[in-house]
Amino acid sequence: MSTHSSPLDCNCFAIRQAARYVSQLYERHMGEVGLTSAQFTLLASIARKPGVQMAELADAMVMDRTTLVRALKPLQRDGMVQADQQSPNSRAVGLTLTAAGKALLAQGVEKWRTAQAEFEQKYGEKRAKSLRQMLFEITAMD
């Protein structure tokens, strides 16, 4: 670390500030279909792997299980996500999208594409791709 660094040169601060900025952009678009960007990501992750278990989804999302359960509650309450016990002898629960969840995800994908295009127009397509790669490398470090 440089001896001339200040606390405002903090990596965590910079990442969180950027995350808030980008989240606001995506939230504006996702809000048009009644989703938060986090809910959209959950729907997309469940759609990618129907039957995914809570623990696996929490790991993939880099969330603790309690936070994931809280995030899923409104999606389950509104009939978008269904949680089914995997087998009678197991406590494992698999998550799937309902028909309504699939329809909402399809609407969300359109808004996501618009948000993605807006971000890439502002930041640059190549830079955005490079940024994603760097950020995914951070979460793959462990």
Side-chain angles (χ1 to χ4, degrees):
M1 183 170 95
S2 169
T3 56
H4 302 294
S5 293
S6 92
L8 294 179
D9 293 327
C10 174
N11 297 316
C12 184
F13 171 73
I15 290 169
R16 284 179 178 254
Q17 184 181 46
R20 284 189 295 272
Y21 175 84
V22 173
S23 292
Q24 288 169 3
L25 184 152
Y26 281 77
E27 296 283 345
R28 183 168 33 87
H29 292 282
M30 289 296 149
E32 293 177 18
V33 294
L35 285 172
T36 66
S37 55
Q39 289 172 330
F40 172 76
T41 304
L42 286 171
L43 291 176
S45 296
I46 294 167
R48 181 181 310 152
K49 191 169 184 189
V52 65
Q53 293 184 11
M54 292 260 198
E56 186 181 355
L57 183 58
D59 286 347
M61 301 289 292
V62 190
M63 300 171 94
D64 63 65
R65 202 156 172 230
T66 304
T67 304
L68 175 61
V69 168
R70 263 194 312 265
L72 285 170
K73 274 200 190 294
L75 294 171
Q76 289 176 290
R77 178 197 66 220
D78 296 342
M80 303 299 150
V81 172
Q82 184 172 304
D84 295 311
Q85 196 167 353
Q86 298 290 61
S87 72
N89 302 333
S90 170
R91 289 180 44 197
V93 172
L95 301 168
T96 56
L97 296 186
T98 64
K102 291 174 185 176
L104 184 58
L105 176 59
Q107 292 174 19
V109 166
E110 293 306 313
K111 298 303 176 183
W112 171 81
R113 284 191 176 115
T114 304
Q116 191 86 344
E118 181 179 334
F119 179 78
E120 290 180 354
Q121 185 270 324
K122 288 180 177 183
Y123 192 68
E125 193 174 333
K126 284 183 181 177
R127 289 176 67 205
K129 182 178 180 180
S130 177
L131 175 63
R132 277 192 308 277
Q133 289 171 335
M134 287 187 292
L135 293 171
F136 285 137
E137 285 173 15
I138 290 171
T139 56
M141 289 188 333
D142 285 341

